[in-house]
Amino acid sequence: MSRKPAPASTLPDAAAAEPRSALTVEMLAAAAGASAEDGIWLDVIRKMDEVYNDLLQYEVALEEKNATLEDTQQFISSVLTSMSDLLIVCSRAGVIESVNAALASLLGVDADALPGRTVFDLFADEESRQRAGRLFADQGSHAVEDIEMLLKAANGSAIPVSLNCTPRYNGVGKMLGLVITGRPVGELRRAYQALRRAHEDLKTTQQQLIHSEKMASLGRLVAGVAHELNNPISFVYGNTLAMKRYAERLTRYLAAVHGAMPRPEREALRAELRIDRLLDDLPSLIDGTVEGAERTRDIVDALKRFSATDRDERRAFDLVEVIERAVQWVSKATANQFEVRLNLPAALEVIGSPGQVQQVVMNLVQNAADATENARERRLEISGGIDEGEAAIEFRDSGPGIPAENLDKLFDPFFTTKPVGRGTGLGLAISYGIVERHGGKLTAGNHPKGGALFCLRLPLA
C-alpha cells in the first residue's frame, strides 16, 4: 500500500510555529510598554492642563484684586485730596508717613516733601512741640481731642489749629502710630459764632412767638379783664361822687362857722347838712376808695406782668394765686355759664416767671371752656398739691375727651381741632415749651370717668 507524501507547506509552518509565537509576545510586550508610556504622558499633559487652568484662574483673580486695589487706592486718594480737615499720619516715633493736600495747602509746602520728616518740625513754637512730645510719650489707647497748637507756615507765620489725635493699629492690634486730624481754629470759631448767632435768633423768634400768642390770649380775654376792672373802678367812682357831695356840705358849713353865724342857727345848719353823719361816713368812704384803687392797681400790675416779655425772670411766686387769677379772667370772658371748681392748698411756692406760667394756666382753662361748649354740663375741676417735691396740678373738664388719634399730636405746633378763627394751634405747643424751660412737665390724656385730663408739674421753690 503506497503512501501519499504530505503537502510541501506543512513542514515549514510547523517548524516556524515557535519563532512566530516568540515574536508575537515581543510585539505585545512592546505594545504594552508603549501604552504604559502613553498613559504616563497623558497624565502629565492632564496635570499640565490643570496647572495651566489654575494659573489662568490665579491670574484672573490677581487682576481683579489689582483692579480692586487700584480702585481702593484711587478712592482713598480722592477722599484724602477732598478733605478740608488737616490729616497727618505718623509712626510711633513721630516720623511723618503721609499728609493730605489740605495740610500742604495750609502750610504752603509740597505734600511730597513732608513724609520722612518728624511731626515736631511742623509746629511753630516750643510749647506746641512739647505738647506734641507728651502725646507721643503717652501713647495709650485713648484718643485726645481739641488740642490747640500752632503750626508753622512756609512764610514763617504761626497758624492756630485745633488737633485731634487717635492711635493707629495693624490687623493684629499692634499700635503703628498716630493719626492727627484738625482744622484751623479761626474756622472753628467762625462756625461757633454762626451757631451761637443762629441759636440766639432762634431764641428771639421763639420769645416773639410766645409774646404774640400771649397777646392773642389777652385779646380773647379782654371782656373778662374789662369786667374785672369795672368793679373796683365803679366802686371808686361812686365813693368819689359821695365825697364830692360831702365836700360841698362841709364847705357850706365851714363858711357859716367862719362867718360868725349865731350858734343856734349854726347848730340848725349842722343838723340840716347832717355833718355828724357825714363825718362818721367819711372814713369808710376813704377806705373803700383806697381799696378800689389798690384793686385796680393790682389788676393793671397783673396785666403788665402777663403782657411783659419776661424771658429771663426767675423768682419765687405763689402758683395758687396765679391759677386763681387766670381762672377769674377766663371765666368772666366765657359767654355761657362755665363753672370752675378749685381744690388747691392755701399756697404753692414755685420758681419761675409768673406771667408765663399764668399764660399756660389760662390756655388750659380756655381749652377746657372751648371743649365743654356743647356739653350738658360745663365744668372744670382744678386740684393739686405737693407730690414728690413738685407742685402737681390736674385740670379735668367735663367735655368729650381727646380722640386717641390726636393724643400724640396735641403739643405739635399749629395742630388744632378748633375752627378757623378760634385757635392758632400754638397755645399748647408754647405752653409745653414754657413748662419744659421751667424744669416741669405738661402731659395730656383722658380721665377714666370721662373728659380730658391735663397734668402740670413744676418744681417747688
Side-chain angles (χ1 to χ4, degrees):
M1 182 175 174
S2 62
R3 299 182 187 177
K4 292 181 180 181
S9 61
T10 302
L11 291 175
D13 289 341
E18 184 176 351
R20 184 176 294 177
S21 299
L23 180 60
T24 302
V25 172
E26 291 177 359
M27 292 177 62
L28 290 174
S35 298
E37 187 176 353
D38 290 343
I40 294 172
W41 280 107
L42 288 175
D43 291 339
V44 171
I45 292 173
R46 275 197 302 271
K47 293 294 184 183
M48 290 178 64
D49 287 340
E50 293 176 0
V51 171
Y52 182 69
N53 289 332
D54 291 341
L55 287 175
L56 289 178
Q57 293 178 1
Y58 292 153
E59 184 177 1
V60 171
L62 185 59
E63 290 178 354
E64 292 177 351
K65 291 181 179 180
N66 285 335
T68 303
L69 182 60
E70 289 179 359
D71 292 341
T72 304
Q73 289 177 338
Q74 291 177 359
F75 174 76
I76 295 175
S77 177
S78 65
V79 171
L80 295 180
T81 304
S82 303
M83 282 180 60
S84 60
D85 287 359
L86 313 178
L87 174 66
I88 306 172
V89 181
C90 54
S91 67
R92 299 184 64 176
V95 178
I96 299 175
E97 298 179 2
S98 178
V99 298
N100 67 339
L103 177 72
S105 175
L106 179 68
L107 300 182
V109 298
D110 185 7
D112 296 332
L114 293 179
R117 297 172 57 184
T118 64
V119 71
F120 307 101
D121 296 338
L122 303 181
F123 296 107
D125 61 338
E126 186 61 29
E127 182 182 356
S128 297
R129 283 189 286 270
Q130 290 179 358
R131 296 181 69 179
R134 288 194 292 270
L135 288 178
F136 283 90
D138 182 23
Q139 295 182 2
S141 59
H142 60 281
V144 181
E145 299 179 354
D146 295 334
I147 307 175
E148 289 195 15
M149 297 185 180
L150 295 176
L151 293 181
K152 182 174 61 178
N155 58 7
S157 61
I159 304 173
V161 293
S162 177
L163 300 179
N164 301 324
C165 186
T166 308
R168 180 170 61 97
Y169 301 95
N170 61 9
V172 296
K174 181 181 178 181
M175 183 175 175
L176 300 178
L178 298 177
V179 176
I180 302 173
T181 59
R183 61 174 51 188
V185 173
E187 182 180 350
L188 286 175
R189 286 176 179 164
R190 287 193 297 271
Y192 289 151
Q193 291 173 355
L195 181 62
R196 189 181 301 111
R197 284 195 300 269
H199 181 62
E200 291 297 328
D201 292 343
L202 180 61
K203 290 197 298 184
T204 302
T205 303
Q206 184 183 39
Q207 188 62 29
Q208 292 173 349
L209 188 62
I210 292 175
H211 191 63
S212 299
E213 182 66 18
K214 184 186 297 183
M215 292 299 98
S217 300
L218 191 59
R220 290 193 299 267
L221 301 175
V222 66
V225 174
H227 184 273
E228 188 70 16
L229 283 170
N230 185 60
N231 287 338
I233 290 176
S234 299
F235 195 62
V236 170
Y237 182 72
N239 288 353
T240 304
L241 289 178
M243 285 191 291
K244 182 180 180 180
R245 292 194 302 268
Y246 288 172
E248 293 173 353
R249 288 156 61 180
L250 285 172
T251 301
R252 182 181 171 187
Y253 178 71
L254 289 175
V257 170
H258 293 290
M261 178 181 287
R263 182 179 181 86
E265 296 179 6
R266 191 170 64 241
E267 292 298 330
L269 180 62
R270 182 185 182 98
E272 178 187 349
L273 297 176
R274 293 183 291 184
I275 298 299
D276 295 333
R277 181 178 177 184
L278 180 153
L279 293 176
D280 292 339
D281 196 27
L282 195 59
S284 63
L285 285 176
I286 295 175
D287 291 342
T289 303
V290 171
E291 180 183 353
E294 289 178 345
R295 285 180 59 189
T296 304
R297 180 200 61 192
D298 293 341
I299 294 172
V300 173
D301 185 59
L303 282 173
K304 288 171 60 179
R305 289 199 307 269
F306 177 66
S307 60
T309 54
D310 50 358
R311 56 184 294 179
D312 296 325
E313 183 181 8
R314 286 292 179 271
R315 63 180 180 87
F317 65 94
D318 186 6
L319 180 59
V320 175
E321 180 183 344
V322 169
I323 294 175
E324 290 175 346
R325 183 165 58 243
V327 168
Q328 194 172 23
W329 287 7
V330 177
S331 299
K332 292 183 182 299
T334 305
N336 299 324
Q337 186 65 30
F338 177 62
E339 180 187 4
V340 180
R341 300 176 183 175
L342 297 178
N343 183 18
L344 299 170
L348 281 174
E349 290 288 329
V350 296
I351 289 281
S353 166
Q356 291 188 2
V357 173
Q358 181 179 340
Q359 181 179 357
V360 173
V361 177
M362 289 174 61
N363 185 267
L364 295 177
V365 176
Q366 184 65 55
N367 284 348
D370 294 340
T372 59
E373 190 171 10
N374 298 321
R376 184 182 62 182
E377 182 183 6
R378 302 189 66 192
R379 185 183 70 255
L380 172 64
E381 297 178 1
I382 304 178
S383 59
I386 299 176
D387 181 32
E388 296 181 355
E390 292 181 324
I393 311 296
E394 291 187 348
F395 299 78
R396 178 197 171 193
D397 62 47
S398 59
I402 306 171
E405 63 272 14
N406 293 341
L407 280 174
D408 294 337
K409 300 179 289 186
L410 208 59
F411 296 109
D412 292 347
F414 304 107
F415 174 77
T416 181
T417 58
K418 299 177 183 179
V420 177
R422 292 287 301 276
T424 62
L426 288 173
L428 284 177
I430 291 176
S431 298
Y432 186 89
I434 291 175
V435 175
E436 194 175 51
R437 286 194 300 276
H438 280 70
K441 190 175 183 181
L442 179 63
T443 58
N446 291 314
H447 196 274
K449 295 183 180 180
L453 178 64
F454 285 85
C455 297
L456 170 65
R457 300 181 71 93
L458 290 173
L460 293 174

